[in-house]
Amino acid sequence: CQSLKLQREGADKNISIEELFDDDLYSDYGAVIYDNDFLVFTSDREMSTGNGTYDWTGKKFSDLFIVDKESKSVQRFDALINSDFSICVFSRCYDNSEYNNQYCKLMYSMRVDGIWVEPMDMPFTKNEINYGQPCFFEKDSVLIFSAVGENAAQGFDLWYCEYNGSTWSEPFQLPSVINS
């Protein structure tokens, strides 16, 4: 593992960037720091659940994984991990022979009494539209995501919806200064 040391202007702290995995076998993406010592990320590793494969890549559908930054030990993300998070939004891709294509939709799960409940479709998702890259902002009250479908000018555009703790608003497209 090589590391790169960077010096921030006006700061006395070094930032270290290190490669965690030295292989090109899997697509690992969307990493977020979890409890300082871990990263949660998305990957199409063989450990992914399910038997299907993506027509787009020929690999398994992606799942969430967790890696200990020090030992570099990778495991499937487990619902028993102790956290304060109460909602998880993710994209799930599926094969829909009715539309002769594979589509990705946004789903969410709530953590109730320490257990993640069965994921549900986001209420605004539609068939034949691809959704992805969900990310919370504004203290988890605004969800920004990408979607390609009916009104997309040149592919994926960014959208947002608001969550008030119990319901989701309809999605709104971000302005054209951000989108293509």
Side-chain angles (χ1 to χ4, degrees):
C1 231
Q2 292 183 325
S3 78
L4 171 66
K5 301 283 185 187
L6 302 173
Q7 181 71 38
R8 290 180 23 206
E9 281 187 42
D12 58 353
K13 292 184 179 181
N14 288 329
I15 298 171
S16 178
I17 299 172
E18 296 182 24
E19 184 177 53
L20 282 175
F21 310 115
D22 188 24
D23 63 52
D24 293 328
L25 298 176
Y26 311 110
S27 294
D28 300 324
Y29 54 96
V32 294
I33 296 172
Y34 183 81
D35 198 25
N36 292 326
D37 296 324
F38 301 92
L39 290 176
V40 174
F41 65 99
T42 306
S43 180
D44 59 1
R45 295 168 175 267
E46 289 297 319
M47 292 187 295
S48 294
T49 58
N51 297 321
T53 57
Y54 237 159
D55 284 345
W56 299 339
T57 64
K59 295 185 178 183
K60 293 188 86 163
F61 287 102
S62 297
D63 274 345
L64 289 178
F65 292 86
I66 188 165
V67 60
D68 180 310
K69 292 190 293 186
E70 190 166 319
S71 72
K72 300 180 183 173
S73 170
V74 176
Q75 298 176 6
R76 279 192 296 243
F77 189 77
D78 191 319
L80 298 177
I81 293 173
N82 183 22
S83 83
D84 294 329
F85 299 122
S86 61
I87 188 168
C88 177
V89 178
F90 58 94
S91 57
R92 177 177 283 172
C93 302
Y94 59 99
D95 188 6
N96 191 334
S97 57
E98 177 182 343
Y99 299 107
N100 199 27
N101 200 342
Q102 290 180 328
Y103 288 96
C104 300
K105 58 185 172 180
L106 293 182
M107 300 186 77
Y108 72 102
S109 178
M110 307 295 288
R111 189 175 172 106
V112 178
D113 297 328
I115 298 172
W116 292 102
V117 300
E118 186 71 28
M120 299 166 276
D121 290 356
M122 293 293 283
F124 54 79
T125 57
K126 298 178 183 174
N127 291 330
E128 296 191 69
I129 293 180
N130 273 310
Y131 299 89
Q133 295 77 36
C135 184
F136 277 111
F137 287 93
E138 299 298 324
K139 298 182 181 177
D140 298 342
S141 66
V142 175
L143 179 72
I144 296 180
F145 59 92
S146 64
V148 65
E150 309 171 331
N151 299 324
Q154 297 179 9
F156 282 92
D157 281 333
L158 294 177
W159 296 74
Y160 76 95
C161 65
E162 296 177 357
Y163 181 66
N164 68 11
S166 62
T167 60
W168 300 93
S169 74
E170 285 298 313
F172 300 96
Q173 196 169 17
L174 289 172
S176 60
V177 295
I178 294 173
N179 283 313
S180 50

